[in-house]
Amino acid sequence: MLIETLSVFPEMFEPVMSTSILGRARKAGLFDFKAYNLRDWTHDRHRTVDDEPYGGGQGMLMKVEPITEAIESIRAEGPKPTVVFFTPCGEPFTQHVAERLLKSERLLFVCSRYEGVDERAYAYADERLSIGDYVLTGGELPAMVVADAVVRLIPGALGDEMSNVDESFSTAEDGGLLEYAQYTRPAEFNGEGVPPVLVSGDHAKVDAWRRKNAIERTCRWRPDLIETARLTPEERAYAQEILDASYSQSEE
């Protein structure tokens, strides 16, 4: 896989793409990365990428010409990339979307700045994504978030192939829940101990506890996930009991 970014601050990416899991995966050749400077596709001495919006308003808007010229130039260099724009109008980014992007041989993230981009640039978008209902100063951080989520799905990136399955938001057959609570040494801290089942050595009981705990934590912290979580009828009934009890308590 080749991951590319188009930005006015291309220098932001190298530290992230060369560190930790991403750095190891890149060094191992599981993916390659290249950052492009949008200003390389400008034609004035000031290397201008923005201008005032028609109709007035606050801030500046990124011009359509440099973006479209850059995309055309970049995608002519190899296999057609999946071009991703980040915008509040975009599809919410989820684990399902990360898995979809993983199928792309080449990803190109277009990182906007200022008040956004000229609407006509979106004609080049294969994907419009949003990483959340809040405002950032640019698309660089969203691009890093999405790149991280996609790269860790590449076989071999994590070392343990089950790491992508046994975690929050997993799309496995029994996934869709928050991950269960986890503990490590010391066995007791500030008077609070580790659940005895986790040190029992009984793997079947540990698995059962973790599944039940994941349901409980999801009901408590992200009840919105329960509806689409992949639960057995018995598990769904248990989750509904927790939700009903929580609702009753809130009404009191």
Side-chain angles (χ1 to χ4, degrees):
M1 169 179 280
L2 173 60
I3 296 177
E4 300 166 297
T5 57
L6 179 62
S7 166
V8 293
F9 296 106
E11 66 276 9
M12 291 180 63
F13 292 96
E14 191 58 36
V16 173
M17 295 297 178
S18 300
T19 305
S20 188
I21 290 173
L22 273 71
R24 292 196 297 270
R26 184 181 176 191
K27 188 175 182 180
L30 299 182
F31 81 101
D32 199 4
F33 173 74
K34 187 170 184 179
Y36 297 93
N37 191 333
L38 179 62
R39 297 189 191 278
D40 291 342
W41 284 274
T42 58
H43 304 285
D44 64 299
R45 65 189 182 93
H46 298 295
R47 306 181 80 193
T48 306
V49 297
D50 61 315
D51 206 340
E52 297 177 350
Y54 281 118
Q58 300 297 317
M60 303 290 281
L61 201 64
M62 296 189 75
K63 294 165 61 67
V64 64
E65 299 100 328
I67 293 176
T68 57
E69 185 176 332
I71 293 174
E72 290 179 353
S73 175
I74 292 168
R75 70 183 183 183
E77 295 179 1
K80 185 178 182 297
T82 298
V83 179
V84 181
F85 280 71
F86 298 99
T87 166
C89 302
E91 176 184 358
F93 182 63
T94 65
Q95 193 72 7
H96 287 282
V97 177
E99 292 181 355
R100 184 172 75 221
L101 295 179
L102 180 65
K103 299 175 183 178
S104 299
E105 181 178 356
R106 189 180 179 197
L107 291 172
L108 173 59
F109 298 123
V110 180
C111 306
S112 62
R113 281 266 159 176
Y114 317 116
E115 291 299 310
V117 303
D118 186 304
E119 186 70 18
R120 293 167 291 186
Y122 289 116
Y124 286 76
D126 297 305
E127 298 268 3
R128 302 188 194 196
L129 299 178
S130 168
I131 67 165
D133 297 341
Y134 45 84
V135 180
L136 297 172
T137 55
E140 289 80 11
L141 291 177
M144 295 177 197
V145 167
V146 174
D148 184 281
V150 172
V151 167
R152 67 195 312 280
L153 292 174
I154 298 175
L158 297 181
D160 182 355
E161 295 306 316
M162 289 303 294
S163 294
N164 276 323
V165 175
D166 194 18
E167 62 185 1
S168 296
F169 312 114
S170 169
T171 59
E173 291 184 3
D174 60 350
L177 299 170
L178 297 182
E179 194 170 4
Y180 46 79
Q182 300 190 70
Y183 302 83
T184 187
R185 295 179 180 87
E188 186 171 323
F189 179 73
N190 285 347
E192 184 176 357
V194 175
V197 65
L198 297 182
V199 294
S200 68
D202 188 324
H203 297 297
K205 289 183 178 180
V206 169
D207 289 343
W209 180 90
R210 285 176 168 173
R211 182 64 176 175
K212 184 177 180 181
N213 185 257
I215 295 171
E216 292 168 353
R217 284 164 62 86
T218 305
C219 288
R220 179 180 180 184
W221 300 112
R222 289 293 304 275
D224 57 297
L225 296 176
I226 291 296
E227 183 177 353
T228 56
R230 284 161 291 286
L231 305 175
T232 65
E234 294 78 12
E235 290 173 337
R236 190 162 298 282
Y238 177 59
Q240 192 60 53
E241 288 179 10
I242 299 173
L243 295 175
D244 290 343
S246 176
Y247 179 77
S248 296
Q249 291 176 2
S250 66
E251 290 290 296
E252 293 177 354

